[in-house]
Amino acid sequence: MPDGGLQLDVTVMGAGLAGMAASIHLAREGFHVICAGPDVRNRQAVGESLDWSAPDLLHALGLSMEKLIADGIATYKRHVTLKLADGFTQHYVPSEWLGQSPFNVELRTLHVDRSLLNEAIYQIALNHDVQFLHERVANIDRDGARVVAVHMADGTRISSPWFIDASGAGASLLPKTFNLPFDEYGPHKTAMWSYFTVSDAIEGTTLYTQERKPPYMEWIWEIPIHPDVISVGYVATGDSVKTMRQQGLSVEEIFRAQLSRNPRFAALLESCEPAPPHVTSFRCRVHSKIAGPNWLVMGEAASMVDPMTSNGVTAALRHAVEGASLIVQSRKLRQIPALKRFLYSVRVASLARFFNSGIEKVLYDWPIRNRIGIGNAGDVYTVPAWSMNAIYARLRPRGVISTMLFGCALSFLLAIASILHVCCRQEDAVFEAQA
Ligand SMILES: Cc1cc2nc3c(=O)[nH]c(=O)nc-3n(C[C@H](O)[C@H](O)[C@H](O)COP(=O)(O)OP(=O)(O)OC[C@H]3O[C@@H](n4cnc5c(N)ncnc54)[C@H](O)[C@@H]3O)c2cc1C
């Protein structure tokens, strides 16, 4: 190590999905990359039900669908099913037209065992000579709008011409350093999850909700990460979990109580004992201006999308591809041109706003869901969300016109959802007044 600490071409803060993927893309282009952050293999990762755009992004890392299935890292996901306690069931399947020319979208996607996937990506990064430093970034040195160096918790100083922040939603290192503006969506939420052995896993993700018309939706996911293992998680508002905790219930008791309300999980709880649940709290947030002259923010550090959208993994891998390519293109200039920074920020933020605002207005909140029914609300969310994601993957907007046109299309769809939300809320107030 030189006296001044480590010197490389790119410093990536955070060794999660976005950080490792960006490191691989850059290492392939000949950059010397250090990926600095706690060892992802010691972490209980979540993010197991993938959007339809994720398989191509994994393929670009060297992990084809076939390989992931053959290696036991993934199972096929062909649809999403919504189930209510009263027996109501609705399937959401990607439209056939997405599979046809010019989109040619693969109509299957994947569920993944995130521990195995993280390990596989870590090995690919090692094979590309990505250097790992399993320490936390403690401090960041900046000179105006540029990042100069980072200091790790063990005292190591790392300097490089380029920096990537992929430190996740909890840390968001560069947004905090540069005090970047952000918007938040929905209330604080808590998720708790564990794993069950089953004999009847299906090739689809199932979402369960207990009531047809709750004021704010709580839900349970069932994701088959192996043919005989399902991940089961309960998501509720932080306030709702806090109330149950104040009544003296432990996280494990809350998890069991919520699952027991559903006959499928009540039976599973009787037949097998799951490990104590993991728990995490989050609030969906979207930062703006996430690129500087020699730095970029990626993955959840840039924008956290709600788990119900199944879009977090796609977003992390997509940011990694786009961000790495910006650095490659700007290599000789030694800084990312202002327009390219702006367009990257617009693309990342507009997609994340679209997913977060859409799912809050159409499914979590009551007005649209109660007015048109939860099954139809599911269509109102999934058809535009899945289509826009597939169109984005196919068209790959990068220039001014394509980025702006795509942003306008997303804003237009969001405006429709907002108008629908307001109208349904007002209509409901009129009905209540008449009653
Ligand atoms: C409950 C829940 C369910 C989800 N379900 C899905 C799903 O079904 N499908 C889906 O696509 N997505 C899902 N997601 C989202 C998905 O898990 C994430 O979007 C994705 O893993 C984000 O990857 P990332 O690399 O951006 O962040 P992370 O995976 O959070 O990685 C960030 C890394 O940075 C490290 N770090 C933190 N602080 C520092 C520091 N100071 N210095 C250095 N490193 C640091 C962390 O240790 C971590 O390894 C879910 C999320 C939640 C919360």
Side-chain angles (χ1 to χ4, degrees):
M1 193 194 304
D3 286 350
L6 293 173
Q7 279 187 340
L8 290 106
D9 296 330
V10 188
T11 306
V12 178
M13 299 175 248
L17 205 55
M20 290 196 293
S23 301
I24 294 168
H25 291 306
L26 286 163
R28 277 185 185 152
E29 296 292 333
F31 286 83
H32 293 116
V33 184
I34 186 159
C35 190
D39 193 339
V40 72
R41 294 168 303 171
N42 298 335
R43 186 168 174 239
Q44 185 54 52
V46 71
E48 298 152 329
S49 174
L50 306 192
D51 165 76
W52 274 260
S53 304
D56 277 351
L57 293 159
L58 287 168
H59 197 187
L61 294 174
L63 295 167
S64 66
M65 259 185 154
E66 294 69 27
K67 178 172 169 50
L68 288 165
I69 297 280
D71 291 354
I73 298 173
T75 64
Y76 283 120
K77 166 179 167 184
R78 298 174 195 274
H79 53 82
V80 175
T81 303
L82 173 70
K83 289 193 174 181
L84 264 64
D86 61 12
F88 173 87
T89 299
Q90 181 138 338
H91 298 288
Y92 302 95
V93 188
S95 314
E96 288 294 323
W97 63 265
L98 282 172
Q100 293 161 7
S101 184
F103 300 110
N104 302 319
V105 172
E106 162 65 78
L107 295 179
R108 295 169 302 183
T109 178
L110 299 168
H111 308 107
V112 284
D113 177 323
R114 277 296 303 270
S115 301
L116 295 182
L117 181 68
N118 286 347
E119 176 66 38
I121 297 178
Y122 183 76
Q123 290 305 329
I124 294 173
L126 286 181
N127 292 341
H128 283 82
D129 293 331
V130 171
Q131 198 173 324
F132 281 91
L133 181 60
H134 294 309
E135 270 297 340
R136 301 187 85 78
V137 173
N139 273 307
I140 297 175
D141 286 346
R142 49 181 281 202
D143 179 8
R146 293 183 77 91
V147 176
V148 178
V150 298
H151 298 266
M152 307 305 293
D154 68 355
T156 310
R157 180 179 190 271
I158 312 174
S159 54
S160 54
W162 303 102
F163 292 84
I164 288 174
D165 176 9
S167 61
S172 283
L173 293 169
L174 288 181
K176 283 181 187 154
T177 302
F178 287 101
N179 208 7
L180 301 183
F182 61 85
D183 295 310
E184 291 182 312
Y185 296 83
H188 285 279
K189 290 176 190 147
T190 300
M192 40 190 89
W193 73 98
S194 189
Y195 299 89
F196 291 82
T197 304
V198 293
S199 54
D200 57 350
I202 53 161
E203 291 189 332
T205 297
T206 310
L207 307 183
Y208 299 83
T209 182
Q210 199 61 24
E211 297 162 49
R212 203 172 259 271
K213 291 190 170 185
Y216 194 82
M217 191 166 153
E218 296 188 351
W219 55 287
I220 290 173
W221 77 66
E222 177 182 339
I223 302 173
I225 60 165
H226 295 287
D228 59 349
V229 178
I230 55 170
S231 157
V232 179
Y234 165 61
V235 183
T237 64
D239 281 347
S240 161
V241 173
K242 194 170 158 195
T243 307
M244 291 186 263
R245 297 281 285 138
Q246 281 166 347
Q247 288 163 357
L249 295 175
S250 66
V251 166
E252 190 163 356
E253 285 166 337
I254 295 171
F255 186 63
R256 294 185 77 95
Q258 292 301 326
L259 262 50
S260 301
R261 297 172 71 196
N262 178 303
R264 169 160 173 78
F265 300 119
L268 274 177
L269 280 169
E270 277 188 15
S271 64
C272 71
E273 191 56 36
H278 307 280
V279 61
T280 186
S281 295
F282 59 92
R283 185 162 191 200
C284 297
R285 192 186 337 158
V286 179
H287 286 99
S288 310
K289 304 184 179 172
I290 48 159
N294 70 334
W295 54 267
L296 291 157
V297 191
M298 296 179 183
E300 284 194 348
S303 58
M304 157 124 205
V305 283
D306 191 88
M308 206 198 287
T309 67
S310 287
N311 204 59
V313 168
T314 292
L317 297 175
R318 193 177 265 164
H319 302 174
V321 171
E322 291 192 26
S325 127
L326 276 187
I327 292 179
V328 172
Q329 289 165 27
S330 313
R331 193 175 204 162
K332 289 199 179 118
L333 297 172
R334 298 188 76 81
Q335 70 167 5
I336 305 168
L339 180 62
K340 291 195 170 173
R341 281 181 238 161
F342 169 75
L343 294 175
Y344 171 77
S345 297
V346 167
R347 285 193 299 273
V348 168
S350 58
L351 270 171
R353 282 197 190 103
F354 172 71
F355 287 115
N356 279 334
S357 193
I359 201 103
E360 286 295 333
K361 287 202 166 72
V362 178
L363 274 164
Y364 275 111
D365 207 0
W366 58 268
I368 298 179
R369 178 166 40 78
N370 283 4
R371 172 64 47 219
I372 64 175
I374 190 165
N376 294 330
D379 278 323
V380 169
Y381 173 75
T382 52
V383 172
W386 292 2
S387 308
M388 292 313 278
N389 226 355
I391 292 169
Y392 187 95
R394 195 57 48 189
L395 298 185
R396 298 184 186 182
R398 296 288 188 272
V400 181
I401 295 176
S402 53
T403 300
M404 290 306 163
L405 279 179
F406 198 81
C408 288
L410 294 176
S411 303
F412 175 70
L413 291 168
L414 263 190
I416 295 178
S418 301
I419 292 167
L420 206 59
H421 187 259
V422 171
C423 293
C424 291
R425 184 185 281 271
Q426 280 173 354
E427 257 187 63
D428 216 77
V430 171
F431 277 125
E432 258 181 36
Q434 284 170 350

